Amino acid sequence: EDKPHPILKAVVARKPDLFVYLGDNIYGDTEDMKVLAGKYARLGAKPEFQELRRQAAVVATWDDHDYGANDAGKEFPKKAESKEVFLDFWAEPAGTERRGRPGIYTHYRFTDGERTMQVILLDTRTFRDPLRTHRKDPAFKNDYRPDPDPGKSFLGRAQWQWLEERFAEPADLRLIGTSIQFGHEYNGWESWTNLPAEQQRMIDLIKTTRANGVVFLSGDVHWGEISRREVKGGYPLHDVTSSGLTETWPTIEANKFRVGEPYREPNFGMITIDWEAEDPVVHLQLHGVDGTPHAHVPVKLSALRFPE
């Protein structure tokens, strides 16, 4: 919120229909809601941010820093107050389901009567149980190690039930916004790999509901990459990680599921769908500050489907 965002000019130049903020949209890191609201106000005052909101629909979920504390989960004491500041800034209308229930998960549905796309934004903070630290075990690295406890949750019971209902709805393409990475290899940072039973639960839910067209969108790590996991009895699950708009990281972790090369400079993701083709093509891309694409994975929609 205190840095210039020249990359948003490149975003606007691409003329997107929809822009998704995936979290760490500001670095709030406070239990003082006046401080938090002030930081959102500084983001909102930026001319490049205002231009983006004039030119495209903008939706958002949060990650730890705009939730309120680094790596925080359900133990954060100001989650309800932080939610109200978040929803007010992102202009959530009064009386919506999102306003009336715990957490900020939500979805959007787009259709022309023939093709339908869902955009599902998860809340990976409000209901998440504490993660397991690596405890200086040399078999693990960075901050966290996988926790096999099947009783721990990322999404919580109500959000899982809600997601199952969304997957049961017909859709050709489902873009799943998750603030932290889903499809990559364990690297010791926050991600779905920290709770492998929850990661497998997601894969199993996609399979049992036969939800076609799932593509994950993620952020958090301060580099960009595209991951693809093969799923036995299903179709490949892609995860487009775009991070960050202003932030970088000195190293990039190994990822055996990565397709192509990672990108360590500020970047934004771009999902372009050629709906006019007989077999629509979903183009998964990462772009730099000058708009140049640095990763491109085209996927036919038919490759994101269960066999009849």
Side-chain angles (χ1 to χ4, degrees), residues 1 5 15 24 28-29 42 89 111 113-115 122 130-131 168-170 180 190 195 206 211 241 255 261 275 293 300:
E1 70 276 6
H5 289 56
K15 298 182 178 179
D24 292 345
D29 298 304
R42 293 205 291 278
F89 177 76
T111 184
E114 295 184 6
R115 303 283 190 178
L122 301 179
L131 301 180
E169 296 170 350
I180 51 175
E190 279 196 299
L195 296 180
I206 293 169
T241 302
N255 178 9
E261 296 298 318
W275 290 110
K300 290 186 177 181

Side-chain angles (χ1 to χ4, degrees), residues 132-142 144-146 186 188:
R132 186 180 184 185
T133 62
H134 65 66
R135 297 178 181 175
K136 298 183 179 180
D137 186 326
F140 303 98
K141 58 182 179 178
N142 296 321
Y144 301 107
R145 62 189 292 180
Y186 161 80

